[in-house]
Amino acid sequence: MTGSEGASPLYSGGSLPADPHAISVEGLFRELSVSVVGLSDEEARERALVFGANIIAVHAKTSIFRIALHQFQSPVVYLLVAAAVMAGSLNQWKEAAAVLVVLAISALIGFVTEVRALRSIESLRDLGTHTARVRRSGDVRLVPAENLVPGDILLVEAGDRLSADVRLIEASNLTADEAALTGESLPTDKDVEPVDRDAPIGDRHSMLYKGTVIAGGSGAGIVVGTGLSTELGRISQLIATAETGRSPLEKRLARLSGQLIWVTLAVAVLVAAAGIFSGKEPMLMIEAAIALAVAAIPEGLPIVATLVLARGMRHMARENALVERLSAVETLGATTVILTDKTGTLTENRMAVRVILTPDTGLRILESASGKAVPEEPGSDAVSGLLRAAVLCNDATLGEIQSEDSGDPMELALLRAGAAAGLVQPALAGEYPVLRKMPFDTEVRMMATLHGSGNGAFWAVKGAPEAVLQASSRVVSGNGSLSMDGKLRADWHDKVEQLGRRGLRVLAFATRPTDRPDGEPFRDLVFLGIAGLEDPVRPDVPEAIAACQEAGIRVVMVTGDHLVTARSIGEAVGLYEHGTAIAEGADGVRLDDGDDSGFRQVGIFARVSPAEKLALVRAYQEAGEIVAMTGDGVNDAPALRQADIGVAMGRRGTDVAREAAAMILLDDAFPTIVRAIREGRIIFDNIRRFVVYLLSCNLSEVLIVGLAVLATLPLPLLPLQILYLNLITDVFPAFALAMCKGDRAVLKRPPRRPDEPILGRAQWTSIIVHSVLMTSGVFMALLLAHLTLDLDRDATVTVTFLTLGFVQLWHVFNMAGKSAGVLNNEVTRNPWVWGAILLCSVLLIGPALTPPLANVLGLTSPTAVMWCLIAAVSLLPVLVGQIGLRLFGALRRKGAR
């Protein structure tokens, strides 16, 4: 049935031919009920109703409402809301309003930063609309890509991006860049012959796939897959099955919040019950319980955590790392394994001439990784002759800048090599004008161009080494040539194999003087030599990988490219050495952690499919690793989404990869990942630092209120005062601590254990010791004010409030660490700390001296005696703490000796 005879009943069920790459062209015409003239418009509309539009669902925008709701999804928020409700039920409207104001401020900060982060990522997503050239009813038309249907005859040429999966029916020197789908850096030759049913995607030469680009030639094919039925669509479904999960920081903060809530409830209930049983007024005990609940919860924690992560996000953006999720900033610092793609990540995603071998020169590097020539023998006639042939026998064109280059990547590499040696294409073409051209022939595997010169004409030939050697009868030597005998030909075959084992793509070059422009070019050639090309390693990658290894982070290459190429690149960047396990695909490797021959022993995975990449990420995660996955292609997207931190390339990366990732490298540079990891580690250290600060301050508040109630003393702090302290003396000093620049040796230590909590034994010990010291100081002020100075309730509360406020301010200097100097350390060198202390001092003193604010907070204006008491007692805890730290450090050093 032809396209003009109407649609087949086949389409009422919407089925498509299985394995079209293995079906002959004639068989495919029959199965899809179409002919070379294409579908009619009526058939196309009917098939569109069955198969739907040729689109893949894109990442939905996160709504403003969902972002706002997310700010209130926290156990800490729930407890504070409960405290506000209880305070309101007791007609303590000021306290209830204050709690809600604090929650509103925290939510607003989180909302603004999260919206900015999400919208910055969405601005990168350019899904665009494309058109496609199809043959319908014998006419060639341009139609929107989303209107393509199975059975359409699609026409393609160099530069086209495929909008559907296509089975070729015509191909003329056709090559396709499938790096985005397979990870292979070189274009793939295409033809119309069917291939084996089990052939991997990279070896299906009879197919073109949605999302790939035509690198050269032209052709036509039958659309055999649209929308989710394409390989790209199947990968998008894999992305949907990948689970992003919560980041390690989110899990730790959630665990810490849960612990704080239970401790808070237990302490509040115990103190209230003890007070009631001892005969105290129930309403007073309920007020004390509310005060304890408010005191125990660090209201500043979500605010500061959000601000710190937002600052880290902005800092990373300046370092060319755009982070989508705030929590992903810290996740980088916990990374234990980086699974990295090869093409465009470790390499430059371009071809470069690495080696030239001619009869009178040895193996030599022609081009460095940066693309600049490193000539060893610039005067070599043999090398000049080879490069002249490479530049003349060439269909590519170099632009003023790299983005303007056009043509096959290997031909572009030859032009760059020639230009570096002074053989520029336009000048050379003017000196040796083209008289005739023989395009690359897949049968003879060579191409040739005929050029005129002052001494007549000559053919310049390039092609596969086996073909060029077979067609050569002589080999260039000095000023003449020698006969190409069997031994010499075998020697050159060995040299080609040597380069191939190094992962290089090899081209051979020859020439042939002629006086007959219409003669046969591919015989009696004079062999000039061979050139080895590869996708060069990015020059900054080896150092970056060494830094990862020094930091205890394992880097594993996971690529769709061939094993030999992957091993060669791995050796160049420091991922492969003698004894390193390598694997082709992940199916043959045990994806469990209980076998020494399993996946964790493999350093390089080659020829890996998207599903296998996803399985590898999951296997590492199940083994307890924090996984960062880098990539730029469509084939990387499922694994990017599944990984704890997916890292996509911003310049070369596909829309699908960028959409699936949590971080985008704007400069495509692997070292940017290392800088981001360092920033992530510093952020975690700073978060741990300010959490210790916050909790020690809050625990001291709990102890002060609890001990005062149990000792039948007046309530030393009111709920509203505690909220004010937590909002002022918590937030600003804590944020200042989070601005510390970090230890210079932060990348010289191993990564944290994935299950390591924010607060370990050492941190809890520090919290308890410092909170006891602060409580002792404030309790001393409370007793002196109440018993010695015989101050009334409001004055006593004022002394307690201000003493506690300044004790917490000076406590910031205890966060420098045990081994830091007293006067010169990371905290004292931090200008933000001094700014926070100055600001908080004003915010503490101001309300006490301003009657309206003093009335709201329940304070009185302090006398000179009260100020002396506040100043003297507030300094005692930090002085005792610093002396104790120095003595403890000295004893430890003495014991170590």
Side-chain angles (χ1 to χ4, degrees), residues 110-132:
F111 175 79
V112 170
T113 52
E114 195 167 337
V115 166
R116 289 178 61 186
L118 288 173
R119 295 304 179 247
S120 64
I121 291 294
E122 288 167 354
S123 67
L124 280 180
R125 294 175 178 145
D126 178 20
L127 299 176
T129 57
H130 305 282
T131 57

Side-chain angles (χ1 to χ4, degrees), residues 768-791:
I768 293 170
V769 169
H770 287 300
S771 64
V772 168
L773 286 174
M774 287 189 289
T775 300
S776 300
V778 176
F779 217 76
M780 180 186 298
L782 171 63
L783 293 174
L784 290 173
H786 182 62
L787 300 177
T788 304
L789 298 180
D790 196 24
L791 299 178

Side-chain angles (χ1 to χ4, degrees), residues 299-320:
E299 291 83 3
L301 179 58
I303 299 175
V304 177
T306 300
L307 289 173
V308 169
L309 293 175
R311 174 187 173 272
M313 175 184 288
R314 290 192 298 271
H315 182 73
M316 286 184 180
R318 289 195 295 270
E319 295 286 339
N320 291 313

Side-chain angles (χ1 to χ4, degrees), residues 62 169 207 226 247 439 526 565 610 626 641-642 644 721 804:
T62 304
I169 60 174
M207 293 289 297
T226 57
S247 75
V526 180
T565 305
I626 302 297
R641 183 170 178 81
Q642 175 69 37
D644 296 287
Q721 293 171 345
L804 178 57

Side-chain angles (χ1 to χ4, degrees), residues 5 83 95 112 151 385 409 497 695:
E5 295 176 304
E95 287 79 358
V112 170
E497 289 182 8
L695 292 189

Side-chain angles (χ1 to χ4, degrees), residues 50 86 187 242 273 281 328 386 463 588 623 643 668 731 827 863 874:
V50 175
M86 184 176 292
E281 185 183 344
L386 185 149
D668 289 8
V731 172
V827 173
T863 64
S874 66

Side-chain angles (χ1 to χ4, degrees), residues 647-704:
V647 183
M649 303 298 117
R651 291 181 179 175
R652 297 187 177 95
T654 59
D655 291 335
V656 176
R658 289 197 295 265
E659 207 167 308
M663 186 173 85
I664 298 172
L665 302 184
L666 301 181
D667 57 359
D668 289 8
F670 190 88
T672 302
I673 301 174
V674 180
R675 293 194 295 272
I677 287 174
R678 181 182 186 277
E679 183 71 17
R681 289 191 176 186
I682 291 173
I683 285 171
F684 181 83
D685 289 346
N686 288 340
I687 287 176
R688 172 175 278 176
R689 194 195 312 266
F690 77 67
V691 168
V692 169
Y693 171 81
L694 287 174
L695 292 189
S696 54
C697 290
N698 284 58
L699 181 56
S700 68
E701 294 169 2
V702 171
L703 291 175
I704 291 164

